[in-house]
Amino acid sequence: MAENMDFRRETDVEGGEEVYSKAVRAGRRTYFFDVKATRNDDYFLTITESRKKQMKDGSFVYDKHKLYLYKEDFAKFSDGLEEVINYIKEHKPEFFRQQEADAQAAPAGVDDEFDRL
């Protein structure tokens, strides 16, 4: 039990050491997938959704929501996500075709060019 409490304290207070990060831009939303490590070298994943919102005064703020996924849940989470994505692909395949077409039609931006370097 003490080990689990140390794990929680480390992840909540210190945020863990960043091991790997992937940002996915999707319109006004950006999803961040961050793999982090505890002092004991246990990995956990944070998934952050960041949405850009315009305020009434014209300024912008970012609304963020974060999900923590721990090692004991990786397999079940992955299985569940795969199952629901396959369901959507089977029942609404046009959702995926449109995204593929959009990706192919989008001109290369500065970020894309930078990522290729």
Side-chain angles (χ1 to χ4, degrees), residues 83-98:
E83 183 179 324
V84 297
I85 294 293
N86 287 336
Y87 177 88
I88 295 168
K89 283 181 179 179
E90 182 180 326
H91 291 87
K92 298 286 186 179
E94 65 273 14
F95 290 174
F96 292 89
R97 285 193 295 269
Q98 184 60 46

Side-chain angles (χ1 to χ4, degrees), residues 5-70:
M5 289 176 63
D6 289 342
F7 180 78
R8 283 194 187 135
R9 185 176 331 114
E10 191 168 333
T11 59
D12 293 341
V13 176
E14 297 177 17
E17 178 186 342
E18 192 167 302
V19 175
Y20 181 81
S21 185
K22 172 71 177 172
V24 177
R25 292 183 186 97
R28 292 184 144 204
R29 292 184 178 100
T30 302
Y31 299 97
F32 298 94
F33 299 91
D34 299 311
V35 178
K36 297 185 178 186
T38 67
R39 289 184 199 151
N40 295 334
D41 204 32
D42 285 333
Y43 283 4
F44 65 99
L45 171 66
T46 62
I47 302 171
T48 306
E49 174 201 31
S50 178
R51 290 186 292 168
K52 187 176 183 180
K53 293 179 126 181
Q54 187 171 10
M55 304 301 287
K56 291 180 181 180
D57 67 1
S59 64
F60 290 96
V61 295
Y62 290 92
D63 186 23
K64 295 182 180 182
H65 300 279
K66 191 170 279 201
L67 173 72
Y68 290 88
L69 185 63
Y70 299 101

